[in-house]
Amino acid sequence: MDKHKAIPQGYMTVGEVAKKMDVTVRTLQHYDREGLLSPSAVSEGGRRLYTDKDIVKLHQILSFKHLGFSLDDIKNRLTPLDSPAEIAAVLTEQAAAVRQKIDSLSESLRELEALHEEVLQMQSVDFKKYADIIVNLQMKNDYYWLIKHFDDQTLDHIRSRFDKDRGRAVMDTFMQLQDEAIRLQNAGVPADSDEGQKFAKAYWDMITDFTGGDMSMLPKLMELGQFQNANQKWREKQTIANGYVEQALGSYFSRIGVDPFQEGTR
């Protein structure tokens, strides 16, 4: 009986702390063994005793644990709590870690929602395309949704020829050239002019690089912008750009005496 009464004022038992912080006694005992949170005192009867300062330190530990840090990482992050500046520094670090976690979770949610929409629009289960979409989402490629429109042959070609960096570079080049086509169209630059033909050569060089010379891929690539479920702004932009591209390439092929579309159908 005396053992239970010998609790000095300002101290709490391990059971009281566990209840207050919604953890188990076993968890507090484990933190003690790991050197994360030792009791501030021990009663005459051998009971672990904690203070309000220990509560603050426990909150620090639990916050980092919730953010996914290992106990070793947490141990290295724990700092003294002996001054307002030290306590503020701890809270600042915790807040930064929480914000980073929120950003990470928000990005994960965006990827899940985007993949969910793509899965619903696809007519069959295709884990290869799912994987490609996930990779492009992680790359922050805004055009991940194009993947569902490509056939297996085109996707196999892309997988074999392009890593993340090169794939993104090709897509960036494509978008820059599409923007240039719209600029030339709006500026009234004739497709068969020197400027128009310079553009046509750059565009054809991009296609040749992408296809690796496989002209059988051309019909599928020319469908870009015509996909039924494509983003409306995308379709409108590509319709304008493709009108100029077709004229410029037509003149370009006439000049060099090549008809790649016929070659691609052989």
Side-chain angles (χ1 to χ4, degrees), residues 166-177:
R166 188 152 181 261
R168 184 60 187 266
V170 169
M171 193 65 196
D172 287 344
T173 299
F174 172 74
M175 296 309 302
Q176 290 166 8
L177 288 171

Side-chain angles (χ1 to χ4, degrees), residues 235-262:
R235 293 185 65 185
E236 292 174 355
K237 180 176 182 179
Q238 300 315 307
T239 297
I240 297 173
N242 288 347
Y244 190 86
V245 169
E246 289 174 9
Q247 294 179 53
L249 287 179
S251 296
Y252 179 72
F253 296 144
S254 294
R255 287 189 178 186
I256 64 176
V258 172
D259 189 345
F261 295 97
Q262 282 193 351

Side-chain angles (χ1 to χ4, degrees), residues 47 83 155 181 230:
R47 306 180 71 186
S83 70
L155 286 175

